[in-house]
Amino acid sequence: MLSVEEALAQILALAQPLATEQVTLAEALGRVLAADLVAPLAMPPFANSSMDGYAVRAGDLAGATAASPVSLRLIGEVPAGGVFAGAVMPGTTVRIFTGAPLPDGADAVLEQELTAPGPVAASVAMQATAAPGRNVRVAGSDVALGQRLLARGSVIHAPEVAMAAAVGAASLAVTRRPRVAVIATGDELVAPGQPLGPGQIYNSNAPLLAAAVVEAGGVPVILPVARDRADDLRARFAEAQAADLVLTSGGVSVGDYDLVRQIMDEMGGINFWRVNVRPGKPLAFGRLGAVPLLGLPGNPASSAVTFELFARPFIRALLGALPPTRPTITVRLAMAIPRGDRRHYVRAQLRYEDGTVLATPTGDQGSHRIASLLGADALVIIAEGAGSIAAGTAVPALLLR
Ligand code: AMP
Ligand code: MG
């Protein structure tokens, strides 16, 4: 049986980033950059003041103190957005506001709080010295022309939007969102909102997977439920071939009604089946024609966990996200956890306490329990083996949020 790492490597080996499209900044949030953003201008584009105060020649303020201020002649003012037409000559000063360009001749700004009205009209008393450069933001000190500001493969959050806007970019190159077909299988499934007959349950996996696809950055297309008959699966699979990825749930184990692998084999092929993981062992990976297909197990927690471990990284790789996987951190177990013959991904809530992150399992980890997914911040990774791992032990955990 494949390990999680081997299975993930096989899946990711088949994921090529999709085509690039240009989106406005308003549409860019959460998308993955398809190209580096290189600074088309320096920032700040001109030397400017970081304070409200007075633009001065630093040399003019030698020896200035509150008790013995230096008086300079006020020759004008420059607000943000303005430009002072003249120059600060020796013995003069210009009132300046935050963000305004430093006038020619000036090399420092003395903040307003260190000044007072001068002894005569149109003069200002400077009550402190200023080293050259004081309160001046030098042109190009934040961003140099040609500098790489945003890297291909990174996710666009609010700061990335701000950086693009700050250098004048109105749009960004991002990867197209993958279309992901979602097919739940099972004779017992009923759509929420419909009455339940005897032996029936609601189809929760299709909504689960569609929501998880959206969170991963894809566009879900929920197809009608495939009943546990070969012709029904064939019909659904034929409809799914326009997708970039097909996800199925259920019907992939060893029961008489588990037909997903048979029809996959018929209409495409199977790359592997079964992974040494709990929950989620009967996972199948293959293709329908040329479209990759992940056959996820039917139990809801198995579907959700295998989506996280395999489907989400595949979708992130189609998006060109670097890395395609979520971060792993070290946590401490709040309670002992038994080990078994399979790698176990324990749904757990995290909390910070006494300098460490403590992980508490979300109750019974049965693969049929949707409740085990609720409130889970992470999947704590318990290696296979005998005995149990003691409370307080440091273990890796895959962060889910
Ligand atoms: P299967 O792998 O098809 O045998 O399904 C395993 C278990 O998951 C069974 O108890 C199914 O009823 C349940 N199951 C399968 N598909 C879904 C679904 N879409 N929503 C909720 N439970 C499901
Ligand atoms: Mg089934």
Side-chain angles (χ1 to χ4, degrees), residues 185-186 188 228 251 258:
T185 75
E188 73 278 34
D228 294 319
D258 293 336

Side-chain angles (χ1 to χ4, degrees), residues 184-185 188-189 201-205 249-251 258 298-300:
T185 75
E188 73 278 34
L189 300 179
I201 62 166
Y202 286 117
N203 172 10
S204 60
N205 284 349
S249 91
D258 293 336
N299 275 307

Side-chain angles (χ1 to χ4, degrees), residues 154-233:
S154 59
V155 179
I156 301 169
H157 298 291
E160 283 76 14
V161 171
M163 184 55 97
V167 297
S171 66
L172 287 168
V174 301
T175 316
R176 172 172 80 71
R177 292 184 191 278
R179 283 185 299 273
V180 182
V182 173
I183 305 173
T185 75
D187 284 343
E188 73 278 34
L189 300 179
V190 172
Q194 302 298 312
L196 271 189
Q200 297 184 321
I201 62 166
Y202 286 117
N203 172 10
S204 60
N205 284 349
L208 166 91
L209 295 173
V213 165
V214 171
E215 282 186 343
V219 178
V221 181
I222 300 182
L223 297 182
V225 168
R227 301 305 171 188
D228 294 319
R229 291 191 312 269
D231 58 344
D232 215 38
L233 270 176

Side-chain angles (χ1 to χ4, degrees), residues 105-124:
D107 59 2
V109 171
L110 192 66
E111 48 271 47
Q112 189 168 305
E113 297 85 330
L114 297 177
T115 68
V120 297
S123 74
V124 183

